[in-house]
Amino acid sequence: MEPGEPQEPQEPREPGPGAETAAAQVWEEAKIFYDNLAPKKKPKSPKPQNAVTIAVSSRALFRMDEEQRIYTEQGVEEYVRYQLEHENEPFSPGPAFPFVKALEAVNRRLRELYPDSEDVFDIVLMTNNHAQVGVRLINSINHYDLFIERFCMTGGNSPICYLKAYHTNLYLSADAEKVREAIDEGIAAATIFSPSRDVVVSQSQLRVAFDGDAVLFSDESERIVKAHGLDRFFEHEKAHENKPLAQGPLKGFLEALGRLQKKFYSKGLRLECPIRTYLVTARSAASSGARALKTLRSWGLETDEALFLAGAPKGPLLEKIRPHIFFDDQMFHVAGAQEMGTVAAHVPYGVAQTPRRTAPAKQAPAAQ
């Protein structure tokens, strides 16, 4: 062909072997790349009245020891300044952190089985922190990939008045006074404590352990022990074996856990249920255990395991269970659980909370 002459059109070539496969691979790699650039899609928050709402304070969810020291020693202005200067540094996990992660693991399973249901755990960060601290809290939550969309920051005022508006099923705080306020308002609440040492807990199953009297049940029986001693208590429990105990402050939370468990049971997952509950009580099975179990039965509730210790320490058993949280009304048992690496929460309810009063000094008789 001479230069300048028009070229004859050529037949299009068929793609060589493997060309389609290579193109598909390039497309898949590009899709993965852009998917990673896009923000992760989070589930929609449920309506509060449909969910099991867990309100957690910032000092329960995260470790804020240094910040609390600054607040106590130097005041609120220095505290806020420090938080602003460090707002890109995530807080370290606090005692409630493993519990919250376990709640989220249960939620993932529930959403797989019931995509349209709002009957899941909803976590609310409930704190009296100033709103200026909110950025650091948000950054910390995003750092750990927690799904906490609802915040209540009250700028120094007590957040307790908001708990009912959030339909709170359980309130956890490091502030004992606020917990007492919540209990007085009829809300299930506990003061949470860090364990003395770290223990590995389940990443796939939420484990919650409860004391019985003054936690799930009323303090009726504890009052008899304190007033009349153990022998009278055993007689009373035997005589009233078929009379259910009145409910305690955390009965409603156990009820909520039971409701979610039944959603797994209905799918044939009783043995693989990602929620497991425990009754860990100082009661003796033979002399007073029947009334406790019959009370739960009368409420239409149960625990997966019931451990009657007849006064023995609870810590060693809790070390075997490794719950994400253990609730008790007596600080003696809370301290014992802490020593064994259990995250324990004190429920300030019942006769055990009554301060001991010393007998008044005898006065000399008045002159006649």
Side-chain angles (χ1 to χ4, degrees):
M1 178 182 294
E2 295 295 328
E5 290 185 7
Q7 297 183 6
E8 294 181 5
Q10 298 181 356
E11 293 291 327
R13 293 183 178 181
E14 293 292 328
E20 291 183 5
T21 303
Q25 183 176 349
V26 169
W27 168 249
E28 186 61 30
E29 289 175 354
K31 182 175 182 297
I32 292 171
F33 175 77
Y34 285 109
D35 282 349
N36 288 335
L37 286 180
K40 300 295 183 184
K41 184 179 179 181
K42 291 188 175 181
K44 184 180 177 182
S45 294
K47 294 182 178 66
Q49 61 269 29
N50 296 337
V52 178
T53 300
I54 312 297
V56 184
S57 77
S58 55
R59 285 201 296 135
L61 185 59
F62 299 117
R63 291 190 183 275
M64 302 175 68
D65 298 338
E66 177 62 15
E67 291 77 7
Q68 186 66 16
R69 184 191 65 78
I70 292 171
Y71 176 81
T72 302
E73 296 178 2
Q74 302 178 44
V76 66
E77 295 302 327
E78 186 62 24
Y79 170 81
V80 171
R81 186 191 67 78
Y82 179 88
Q83 295 282 33
L84 291 175
E85 289 179 354
H86 294 79
E87 67 180 18
N88 292 320
E89 300 174 14
F91 292 110
S92 298
F97 189 91
F99 176 63
V100 168
K101 292 292 285 185
L103 297 177
E104 294 192 339
V106 174
N107 278 355
R108 286 192 291 272
R109 296 286 305 279
L110 283 168
R111 289 187 172 110
E112 290 170 3
L113 297 172
Y114 303 92
D116 300 323
S117 174
E118 292 189 331
D119 195 9
V120 295
F121 294 109
D122 187 26
I123 301 143
V124 177
L125 189 69
M126 185 77 62
T127 173
N128 65 345
N129 261 303
H130 195 281
Q132 290 289 352
V133 185
V135 173
R136 190 177 184 192
L137 289 169
I138 290 170
N139 288 342
S140 299
I141 284 167
N142 289 334
H143 173 78
Y144 295 110
D145 197 27
L146 299 175
F147 182 58
I148 302 178
E149 297 290 313
R150 302 190 207 279
F151 273 40
C152 180
M153 308 187 70
T154 59
N157 293 327
S158 174
I160 302 306
C161 61
Y162 294 104
L163 290 173
K164 288 185 178 178
Y166 277 90
H167 298 266
T168 301
N169 295 90
L170 176 67
Y171 171 58
L172 296 175
S173 174
D175 189 322
E177 278 302 314
K178 291 186 178 63
V179 168
R180 288 190 189 94
E181 288 181 47
I183 290 281
D184 290 343
E185 291 292 320
I187 295 165
T191 311
I192 193 166
F193 293 89
S194 297
S196 301
R197 56 189 174 88
D198 292 332
V199 170
V200 177
V201 292
S202 175
Q203 301 296 307
S204 58
Q205 184 180 62
L206 169 67
R207 297 177 185 175
V208 184
F210 300 89
D211 178 32
D213 296 297
V215 175
L216 292 178
F217 315 129
S218 72
D219 67 338
E220 169 195 329
S221 298
E222 287 194 352
R223 288 182 179 276
I224 293 171
V225 172
K226 286 192 174 292
H228 306 289
L230 276 175
D231 289 342
R232 182 69 175 275
F233 162 74
F234 293 141
E235 293 173 6
H236 178 272
E237 294 303 285
K238 192 66 177 176
H240 295 81
E241 180 179 312
N242 295 313
K243 179 184 177 183
L245 289 152
Q247 71 178 47
L250 264 66
K251 181 253 189 179
F253 180 52
L254 176 62
E255 197 168 34
L257 293 177
R259 186 177 76 245
L260 295 183
Q261 282 181 309
K262 288 175 182 176
K263 294 171 76 73
F264 291 100
Y265 298 169
S266 67
K267 296 289 187 178
L269 298 173
R270 177 179 284 270
L271 297 181
E272 295 83 30
C273 183
I275 302 173
R276 194 165 184 84
T277 55
Y278 303 79
L279 173 66
V280 183
T281 173
R283 282 174 175 253
S284 164
S287 56
S288 57
R291 191 179 186 197
L293 294 177
K294 287 183 177 182
T295 295
L296 290 174
R297 186 190 301 165
S298 73
W299 294 342
L301 299 178
E302 60 181 305
T303 55
D304 294 293
E305 298 187 28
L307 306 175
F308 295 93
L309 304 185
K314 298 181 181 182
L317 269 294
L318 292 167
E319 185 182 26
K320 299 297 182 184
I321 295 171
R322 298 196 176 190
H324 293 89
I325 194 166
F326 164 62
F327 297 98
D328 204 292
D329 68 306
Q330 298 195 45
M331 282 302 300
F332 169 80
H333 292 304
V334 169
Q338 284 180 276
E339 289 175 8
M340 305 304 288
T342 297
V343 174
H346 178 241
V347 181
Y349 174 83
V351 68
Q353 316 310 315
T354 304
R356 294 180 179 178
R357 297 178 180 176
T358 55
K362 293 183 177 179
Q363 296 181 349
Q368 297 296 317

